[in-house]
Amino acid sequence: MIIESTYKSPRVTIDNGILNITGVSVPPNSVDFYHPILEFVRHTESIIINFKLKYFNVSSSCQFIKILKEIESKKSQVNWIYDNEDMLEAGKDLMYLAKIPFNFLPY
């Protein structure tokens, strides 16, 4: 699955159990945007999620938490790839809320 980015939504790719969410995430309706991704995650046994975001809004973070809650009991890995301290702190906040360990990787 590939969802190309727009000026308000991230590029999303899913291939061989790897989910990449890259760019800016401020879609007009984050529930609708992330629904197919959440459905994919619900039906997979193991997954690697790579978040490489420049910015996201509260509505997107709620969807990220839903996705992360779905992988609690699955074989999974979450990589938070950041380029500034604000995004590092945002990743730490999500990790705390989701109660799932993240790997923090600067770029």
Side-chain angles (χ1 to χ4, degrees):
M1 171 193 301
I2 297 176
I3 302 170
E4 291 298 339
S5 66
T6 69
Y7 70 100
K8 288 190 172 190
S9 62
R11 184 171 199 268
V12 177
T13 61
I14 301 172
D15 189 34
N16 293 322
I18 300 173
L19 166 60
N20 295 295
I21 301 174
T22 307
V24 172
S25 184
V26 293
N29 187 328
S30 63
V31 173
D32 287 347
F33 182 84
Y34 284 101
H35 179 76
I37 299 154
L38 185 58
E39 285 302 307
F40 170 80
V41 171
R42 283 185 175 137
H43 296 98
T44 189
E45 293 180 21
S46 67
I47 190 166
I48 296 170
I49 302 176
N50 297 312
F51 288 99
K52 188 177 181 182
L53 296 162
K54 294 283 186 189
Y55 178 79
F56 60 93
N57 61 11
V58 172
S59 179
S60 292
S61 69
C62 292
Q63 298 311 304
F64 298 158
I65 291 168
K66 285 182 184 179
I67 290 167
L68 294 166
K69 290 291 187 184
E70 284 294 326
I71 66 170
E72 277 181 321
S73 62
K74 301 177 185 212
K75 183 179 176 189
S76 63
Q77 176 180 330
V78 178
N79 299 313
W80 187 265
I81 305 160
Y82 64 95
D83 70 345
N84 63 59
E85 290 299 313
D86 290 340
M87 288 309 295
L88 173 60
E89 291 304 314
K92 288 180 180 178
D93 290 345
L94 278 176
M95 180 179 72
Y96 174 78
L97 291 170
K99 298 178 175 70
I100 293 176
F102 284 26
N103 297 314
F104 292 97
L105 308 167
Y107 78 95

